[in-house]
Amino acid sequence: MIKYYFTIASILVLVFGISSCSNEETKTQYQIAARPTVPIQNGEVQIGTQIWMTRNLNVSRYRNGDPIPQVVNSAQWANLTTGAWCYYANSTANGPIYGKLYNWYAVNDSRGLAPEGWHIPSDAEWTTLVSFLGFPDVA
């Protein structure tokens, strides 16, 4: 079973790359199959065959402790070649709602953006989620 880091701002994932997953299993396959969309542990929910976190990614450091810089200037953001984060609409008030938004470089950095035991979902993993929820028109 793979665990995924779910974000409310998941539509922004393609632009800002935010979410992650884990390979740690907390329930047997039989227990999971018997409960298709239920809480697994505090902060986790099963959706179909996948386990997603129920909170937004909101870190300002890579897994190894290195800082991820905040960039608020749109022109600077567009020209970056290194990892960075910002708040949606560059408003700190959006932090508690959406967490932080990360650029492609931060998401793909080898130092790890996702918490220990989690990973950023692949396109195929997102497709599995959307398919289970009823494809884009319903999901």
Side-chain angles (χ1 to χ4, degrees), residues 8-9 23 45-46 51 62-63 70 74 77 86 103 113 116 122 126:
I8 292 172
N23 290 324
V45 66
Q46 180 181 344
I51 304 218
Y62 291 105
R63 192 178 307 142
Q70 179 182 13
S74 297
W77 180 275
C86 69
N103 68 2
L113 183 62
E116 188 66 39
S122 68
W126 278 109

Side-chain angles (χ1 to χ4, degrees), residues 110-130:
S110 63
R111 293 172 284 184
L113 183 62
E116 188 66 39
W118 296 84
H119 72 271
I120 306 300
S122 68
D123 285 339
E125 291 164 332
W126 278 109
T127 299
T128 298
L129 174 67
V130 171

Side-chain angles (χ1 to χ4, degrees), residues 5 18 20 45 51 61 79 85 92 111 126:
Y5 203 96
I18 247 199
S20 45
V45 66
I51 304 218
R61 294 186 173 274
N79 292 314
W85 67 268
T92 57
R111 293 172 284 184
W126 278 109

Side-chain angles (χ1 to χ4, degrees), residues 87-115:
Y87 289 115
Y88 179 72
N90 285 316
S91 171
T92 57
N94 287 323
I97 300 167
Y98 302 112
K100 291 178 174 67
L101 305 178
Y102 304 90
N103 68 2
W104 183 91
Y105 298 102
V107 171
N108 289 293
D109 194 289
S110 63
R111 293 172 284 184
L113 183 62

Side-chain angles (χ1 to χ4, degrees), residues 1 25-38 40 46 48-51:
M1 178 63 57
E25 290 190 352
T26 59
K27 302 289 181 186
T28 67
Q29 197 66 20
Y30 175 78
Q31 289 170 308
I32 291 171
R35 301 178 307 171
T37 306
V38 296
I40 301 299
Q46 180 181 344
T49 59
Q50 301 171 315
I51 304 218

